[in-house]
Amino acid sequence: MRYVKLAMIGAASAAVVMALTFLAIRSPEIPSIPAGSAQKFDMSLIKRGADLAALGDCNTCHTTEGGKTFAGGRDIPTPFGTINSTNITPDPETGIGNWSEEAFQRAMRTGVDREGNYLYPAFPYDHFTLVSDNDNSALYAYLMTRTPVRAPTRANDLSFPFNIRPLLAAWNMMFLRKGPFTPDPSRDGEWNRGAYLVEGIGHCGACHTPRNWLGAEKTRQAFAGGDAEGWHAFTINAASQAPIPWDADSLNAYLRQGWHGLHGVARGPMGQVVGNLATVSDQDVKAIAVYVASLMKQPSGQQRKDDNLLVASNNTSGTGSKPQSAGSQATAKVESPDDAGAVLYASTCAPCHDAGRPVPYGGINLALSTAVSANDPRNALRVILDGVPATSGTRGPIMPGFSNTLTDQQVISLAQYIRTRFAQKPRWPNVPDPLRKIRTEAEASTSSTTR
């Protein structure tokens, strides 16, 4: 009981200190502007703002499924509860229509809105603080010329004490390192452009970097892998688990088209990112690829030899049948008839993955798949369950999902067989828990869309 009292006294004292801190540093309200007064912008500025919004993936978080673009309302799951994204259309009452550019710049740089309220870092202002004033002006021009949508923002659903918004002042003091971006003089312009985009408006670390118990990125483990809406955001530094090391060319192709024959397909939140990148310039995407590739470890001589053998194996039929072509049909073999996973693989996966056809017309050789080689099984499970849906208007791989045809035990058997056979790594230590969570989330999503 004594310890409980001490803990309560400590918590109360901390709250008082936080409240006093907030009162001392609270940002003032910035006066509103008359609705419609900020609608005159140069077209070239608006176009640059559109590109920046695509590079920042703004529409993904600020748009609900089937909703109006940038009208907000999307649930953003966090370890502390659910945050609802805000309306960033120029609606004067529910959006940012009465925000001056000064107010917009402040929100991007410091995470404080026009009224002086602290924003939750689910809005990645800890990255946006690196964006230049000129680029913020372009982004402001683009957003303020969108169609206004009246859509009030729903209240967040956060646990105590994370629902006390003023405490974010303390979070900023501990974790926000204000910009702007500083170029590295030892690197060329393309590398610095990529660094500016990746670290700033692209906020790649928001998903690909692990976070501490207060939700801040562990900067000493930058790009070491993280979580993104139930998916695992892969490691994109020297510890990458990709079977074939990434280079600038393969990254560029992957970011441009959403898949690469030696790596796999972008799905989940990353699929939305590459969908937006398809609308921006080749130069910006290549700069991003050059910068990210520089974070990767260069393969050794032996690694290159092993890579060549692995790539060569990708050009042959997996089960010994000749490549599928007109007038011929690859017939799958069961490698281990007593293994339930092997039988399932032969009947559900091999007709595409072992047919000898290159991506996107055939399935990737799973020995090349990062999802199969990664320590976290979530992405592989999601692909087995949901497949790879066709993308409208673009050429890319497709795959059926098996969520309605395979039982949990069959999914586990199949996943573990693929893991041990193709990645040649030990079975994943825990598959039932993430599988159960994915199934539960899918049921909840289906229920919410049918109400």
Side-chain angles (χ1 to χ4, degrees):
M1 182 61 73
R2 178 186 176 191
Y3 294 112
V4 173
K5 288 183 178 178
L6 288 174
M8 293 178 65
I9 293 172
S13 300
V16 170
V17 171
M18 294 295 185
L20 292 174
T21 301
F22 164 68
L23 290 174
I25 60 176
R26 189 180 191 283
S27 297
E29 178 175 342
I30 294 177
S32 62
I33 60 173
S37 64
Q39 301 301 308
K40 298 178 181 177
F41 299 100
D42 184 82
M43 286 303 296
S44 62
L45 189 68
I46 296 172
K47 172 63 173 65
R48 189 152 61 89
D51 290 343
L52 288 163
L55 288 162
D57 206 31
C58 303
N59 60 341
T60 295
C61 283
H62 288 279
T63 308
T64 59
E65 186 173 349
K68 299 289 186 182
T69 304
F70 300 131
R74 177 167 175 168
D75 292 344
I76 310 294
T78 77
F80 317 105
T82 301
I83 292 175
N84 293 297
S85 66
T86 56
N87 179 353
I88 56 172
T89 72
D91 180 70
E93 295 183 8
T94 62
I96 61 172
N98 61 359
W99 284 37
S100 64
E101 184 176 330
E102 178 190 2
F104 184 80
Q105 293 267 7
R106 184 174 75 174
M108 291 289 286
R109 285 201 176 281
T110 66
V112 178
D113 70 10
R114 188 192 67 77
E115 293 84 359
N117 301 309
Y118 287 92
L119 300 172
Y120 284 97
F123 170 66
Y125 58 86
D126 51 336
H127 289 273
F128 297 160
T129 189
L130 300 178
V131 178
S132 70
D133 286 348
N134 288 339
D135 279 350
N136 276 333
S137 295
L139 193 54
Y140 177 74
Y142 173 67
L143 292 175
M144 293 298 276
T145 51
R146 299 307 92 199
T147 301
V149 178
R150 179 172 174 74
T153 299
R154 292 181 289 118
N156 298 323
D157 182 16
L158 296 169
S159 57
F160 177 82
F162 305 104
N163 57 350
I164 303 175
R165 190 179 287 268
L167 295 183
L168 290 168
W171 193 95
N172 285 357
M173 291 176 65
M174 290 188 287
F175 303 117
L176 177 60
R177 302 292 176 264
K178 295 181 181 178
F181 173 76
T182 303
D184 182 344
S186 69
R187 299 281 192 164
D188 63 20
E190 185 176 55
W191 186 94
N192 274 300
R193 175 65 178 168
Y196 171 72
L197 295 175
V198 168
E199 304 285 356
I201 191 71
H203 64 283
C204 301
C207 292
H208 287 278
T209 296
R211 294 177 180 271
N212 64 23
W213 68 281
L214 284 175
E217 293 176 27
K218 297 179 179 178
T219 53
R220 293 184 179 180
Q221 300 177 36
F223 303 113
D227 295 313
E229 300 179 35
W231 291 73
H232 178 62
F234 292 129
T235 303
I236 53 173
N237 61 19
S240 167
Q241 296 161 353
I244 301 293
W246 290 94
D247 58 24
D249 288 339
S250 58
L251 274 167
N252 184 53
Y254 177 83
L255 295 174
R256 213 71 183 111
Q257 61 192 14
W259 55 272
H260 189 276
L262 298 182
H263 293 280
V265 184
R267 280 295 177 265
M270 194 62 205
Q272 296 164 325
V273 170
V274 297
N276 279 317
L277 291 181
T279 68
V280 305
S281 71
D282 290 338
Q283 291 81 5
D284 277 347
V285 174
K286 185 166 182 285
I288 291 171
V290 166
Y291 175 68
V292 175
S294 74
L295 305 175
M296 305 285 192
K297 181 180 179 181
Q298 293 298 313
S300 64
Q302 183 58 49
Q303 176 70 57
R304 291 186 186 280
K305 292 179 181 177
D306 294 342
D307 294 346
N308 291 334
L309 291 174
L310 189 55
V311 172
S313 72
N314 188 45
N315 297 322
T316 60
S317 297
T319 59
S321 301
K322 63 182 180 180
Q324 184 168 297
S325 60
S328 70
Q329 176 71 47
T331 303
K333 294 180 180 179
V334 180
E335 297 288 336
S336 307
D338 295 332
D339 184 330
V343 175
L344 285 165
Y345 177 82
S347 58
T348 59
C349 312
C352 288
H353 287 281
D354 289 355
R357 289 170 297 177
V359 176
Y361 306 107
I364 187 176
N365 181 338
L366 294 177
L368 304 174
S369 169
T370 306
V372 175
S373 294
N375 294 332
D376 191 315
R378 282 179 293 174
N379 292 13
L381 292 174
R382 286 187 179 276
V383 173
I384 291 172
L385 293 172
D386 300 333
V388 179
T391 303
S392 177
T394 61
R395 186 185 70 164
I398 59 173
M399 175 187 140
F402 300 98
S403 61
N404 293 329
T405 53
L406 298 183
T407 65
D408 284 0
Q409 186 53 55
Q410 287 174 321
V411 171
I412 293 169
S413 298
L414 177 59
Q416 296 290 29
Y417 172 74
I418 291 171
R419 167 75 168 177
T420 53
R421 175 183 166 185
F422 291 100
Q424 297 187 357
K425 293 182 177 180
R427 295 160 65 93
W428 281 302
N430 181 20
V431 172
D433 285 349
L435 174 60
R436 191 178 305 112
K437 187 173 183 180
I438 293 169
R439 291 274 203 193
T440 301
E441 290 174 352
E443 291 173 2
S445 176
T446 301
S447 175
S448 66
T449 56
T450 55
R451 279 201 296 265

